[in-house]
Amino acid sequence: MFVRTVDYHTAGEPFRIVLDGVPPIPGDTVAERRAIALGAGGSATAPRPSALDEVRQLLSREPRGHAGMYGGFLVPADDDEAHLGVLFWHKDGYSTACGHGTIALGAWAVDSGLVAAPADGVARVRIDVPSGRVTALVHRAGGRTTGVTFRNVPSRVTALKLPVETSRGTVEVAVAHSGACYASVPAAALGLAVEKQQLPELTALGREIRAALAGSEAVAHPTDARLSGVYGVILHDELPPVDGVLNQRNVTVFADGQIDRSPCGSGTSARLAVLAAEGRLAPGEPLRHESIIGTVFSGQVLPGGDPQGEGVVTEVGGTAFRTGEHGFVLEPDDDLGSGFLL
């Protein structure tokens, strides 16, 4: 097996773009291709065995990857209005949305010449993802990519103060669908803070809350069952404003205990929707969203809402940088096969 990739990081979170070496993925849309990738009886965090999933495992497991690895398989767009499609993957399976990956893909599409871009100005890269069509606005100056802002699918809040029982008592969580379903809770409500030394406790509580919400009506997507179920739990801290801008720090625990090193792109969309619903953030007002490693996304709710009435439309901005180009090999007599996780 030989697989070729180009790797980026977005605010510290890896994104491995797979260019070659992937078996054909049938389906008429990206959403259909994800369902086929999961396989009959498979789930988002437990796909059925397949040649495609062997590639996912190879790239997300040691010794070629690690438990925090994230990436995407390039697939055809749903129609000619988009430049590309992508299936997002992580160590456990396939997600329906990935904001940091969208930022990386926007940068790659322009940097690679797939999408023409001005030396100075903004290029629009339209990407079909399992939850819909998103747009990456790639900012350019002096012939270089300086940042990417992505416009997400509409974000909708389904609960603001949903009681959840945890090992540290009952907490109230907010639930929002922003391409994937996120539950958010102040870390202080659990007696914690978003700090590296508390990461084991934050991870454990994130997994608890995700499990406790399984089957809740709030985590059911209103129109597409494929988008139902908690994907990530966002534990957040309030920080002092910066130049009058609302400022928060978060760590997102997603899938089966994976930690987002970035402030989480689609999770930032969810936070924007919740803050707007709470009356804390008006359309056009910025949010400074910091990660557990200190990297930052900016975000805002766009004025006017969603024309279809399905929620608010958000934009989230950050930076992505190329980290390497790789040709991964699996030799037939390699006893470790597609790798391992610790």
Side-chain angles (χ1 to χ4, degrees):
M1 182 188 299
F2 178 79
V3 182
R4 188 166 65 93
T5 74
V6 57
D7 286 22
Y8 278 70
H9 84 83
T10 304
E13 177 74 356
F15 193 75
R16 180 163 283 170
I17 302 168
V18 185
L19 304 177
D20 290 308
V22 178
I25 309 170
D28 294 329
T29 66
V30 174
E32 284 184 12
R33 289 185 177 91
R34 176 177 178 269
I36 290 169
L38 296 181
S43 69
T45 54
R48 300 288 294 172
S50 68
L52 177 70
D53 206 55
E54 186 177 359
V55 179
R56 176 190 67 82
Q57 293 176 21
L58 184 83
L59 299 177
S60 62
R61 294 179 173 185
E62 294 186 55
R64 299 165 189 86
H66 55 82
M69 181 54 67
Y70 214 116
F73 297 134
L74 299 177
V75 297
D78 291 356
D79 58 47
D80 293 339
E81 295 298 316
H83 295 100
L84 68 144
V86 62
L87 292 185
F88 296 120
W89 51 258
H90 45 76
K91 74 174 178 67
D92 297 310
Y94 301 87
S95 59
T96 58
C98 178
H100 91 271
T102 299
I103 290 173
L105 284 165
W108 167 78
V110 167
D111 294 346
S112 67
L114 177 69
V115 176
D120 297 281
V122 178
R124 291 177 175 263
V125 181
R126 292 177 293 278
I127 305 170
D128 284 333
V129 306
S131 53
R133 180 163 294 165
V134 297
T135 301
L137 307 174
V138 183
H139 306 278
R140 306 270 292 170
R144 296 182 63 252
T145 296
T146 58
V148 180
T149 302
F150 86 94
R151 185 170 298 175
N152 201 4
V153 299
S155 298
R156 179 185 299 182
V157 176
T158 53
L160 280 178
K161 293 185 177 182
L162 182 65
V164 174
E165 296 290 336
T166 77
S167 59
R168 294 188 174 223
T170 303
V171 294
E172 292 181 336
V173 306
V175 179
H177 297 261
S178 55
C181 179
Y182 291 89
S184 58
V185 58
L190 297 160
L192 297 170
V194 181
E195 299 175 351
K196 292 179 185 178
Q197 60 267 33
Q198 296 189 25
L199 192 55
E201 293 92 341
L202 292 163
T203 303
L205 268 296
R207 296 179 74 178
E208 268 191 47
I209 292 169
R210 180 174 180 266
L213 286 171
S216 168
E217 290 185 9
V219 308
H221 192 275
T223 60
D224 189 344
R226 295 173 296 187
L227 305 180
S228 295
V230 174
Y231 171 63
V233 176
I234 304 171
L235 301 110
H236 57 89
D237 286 345
E238 206 74 30
L239 300 178
V242 175
D243 297 327
V245 171
L246 183 62
N247 187 20
Q248 294 187 340
R249 179 186 297 125
N250 91 94
V251 63
T252 300
V253 182
F254 65 92
D256 188 20
Q258 196 163 335
I259 301 300
D260 200 324
R261 277 76 171 157
S262 82
C264 190
S266 48
T268 298
S269 285
R271 289 297 303 145
L272 288 164
V274 168
L275 290 166
E278 291 173 340
R280 298 192 58 200
L281 198 69
E285 290 183 346
L287 168 68
R288 181 185 183 275
H289 213 205
E290 185 175 311
S291 74
I292 195 166
I293 66 169
T295 54
V296 177
F297 285 162
S298 61
Q300 64 169 331
V301 173
L302 296 182
D306 171 42
Q308 306 301 318
E310 296 181 359
V312 297
V313 178
T314 64
E315 285 187 347
V316 177
T319 56
F321 297 95
R322 187 171 55 173
T323 60
E325 299 180 7
H326 307 283
F328 291 102
V329 175
L330 175 58
E331 296 185 354
D333 55 348
D334 186 340
D335 292 339
L336 285 178
S338 57
F340 60 93
L341 292 170
L342 288 178

